[in-house]
Amino acid sequence: MEEAKLLLKPYPKSITKKKRVGRGLGSGKGRTSGKGHKGYKARAGNGKNLGFEGGQMPLIKRLPKVGFVSMSRNRKKTLNLDLISREFSDNETVDLNSLMKKKIISKMIRKVKLINNGKLTKKIKLGKGVRFSSSVSEMINQKAGAEG
């Protein structure tokens, strides 16, 4: 039994040579090279910008700008005393670094304020960047006997 050699060839009419433009009148695409006479589209380097609408104000410029968030925003956060009691142990310092390590605040936060929602059951120390309301100050000093 002989092995037949199979040669892969494209279909005969599927491949056509590229039309060479600007090669004389007899070529069929000579003189103006299929671009017509004069005008914007007949020039070299023609083409419109992305989104060009024929002089009308483009859609991208008609719509309002959205999505910008200022870096100076969202740098403050308020925390409840319940959360501090849950997350921190006795004599532990509550400051920005310790709050970040426990993933209570993000890196963007620069100031934290404690508010009197709940009860403080542990003795804590307040570090840099942590402020508190007057009612929290009383609770820290009197009820838990902590340093503020």
Side-chain angles (χ1 to χ4, degrees), residues 106-117:
S106 67
K107 291 179 184 177
M108 293 283 292
I109 305 296
R110 294 286 173 253
K111 290 180 183 176
V112 171
K113 185 168 185 176
L114 298 179
I115 57 172
N116 190 6
N117 281 4

Side-chain angles (χ1 to χ4, degrees), residues 1-5:
M1 212 170 162
E2 284 183 35
E3 289 183 30
K5 287 187 178 180

Side-chain angles (χ1 to χ4, degrees), residues 3 5 7 20 22 38-39 61 63 72 76 78 81 86 91 100-101 125 127 146-147:
E3 289 183 30
K5 287 187 178 180
L7 297 175
R20 295 180 73 212
K38 300 185 184 177
K61 286 191 174 187
L63 296 175
S72 63
K76 299 174 187 174
T78 56
L81 285 178
R86 260 186 283 134
N91 291 326
M100 268 188 257
K101 284 179 187 173
K125 294 176 185 175
E147 299 168 12

Side-chain angles (χ1 to χ4, degrees), residues 3-140:
E3 289 183 30
K5 287 187 178 180
L6 294 174
L7 297 175
L8 295 175
K9 291 182 181 177
Y11 190 73
K13 294 181 180 178
S14 66
I15 295 177
T16 55
K17 287 186 177 180
K18 185 182 172 189
K19 186 74 168 179
R20 295 180 73 212
V21 296
R23 294 295 184 272
L25 295 173
S27 70
K29 286 282 185 188
R31 195 171 165 216
T32 56
S33 304
K35 288 179 173 261
H37 294 280
K38 300 185 184 177
Y40 184 60
K41 291 192 277 184
R43 312 293 183 205
N46 74 24
K48 298 169 184 72
N49 301 333
L50 187 66
F52 182 71
E53 295 185 19
Q56 174 178 305
M57 184 61 69
L59 181 68
I60 194 70
K61 286 191 174 187
R62 281 180 279 168
L63 296 175
K65 292 194 281 185
V66 292
F68 176 76
V69 176
S70 174
M71 291 297 284
S72 63
R73 243 170 73 185
N74 301 332
R75 293 213 163 194
K76 299 174 187 174
K77 187 159 187 171
T78 56
L79 297 176
N80 297 335
L81 285 178
D82 277 346
L83 180 70
I84 300 298
S85 293
R86 260 186 283 134
E87 297 292 329
F88 289 89
S89 58
D90 275 337
N91 291 326
E92 203 171 348
T93 304
V94 178
D95 61 353
L96 294 176
N97 288 333
S98 62
L99 289 167
M100 268 188 257
K101 284 179 187 173
K102 293 181 186 279
K103 296 185 179 176
I104 298 170
I105 61 170
S106 67
K107 291 179 184 177
M108 293 283 292
I109 305 296
R110 294 286 173 253
K111 290 180 183 176
V112 171
K113 185 168 185 176
L114 298 179
I115 57 172
N116 190 6
N117 281 4
K119 292 185 179 180
L120 186 64
T121 56
K122 297 172 184 168
K123 188 174 180 179
I124 58 165
K125 294 176 185 175
L126 297 179
K128 192 174 181 181
V130 180
R131 298 175 7 205
F132 46 87
S133 63
S134 58
S135 59
V136 170
S137 171
E138 292 171 11
M139 190 171 280
I140 289 173

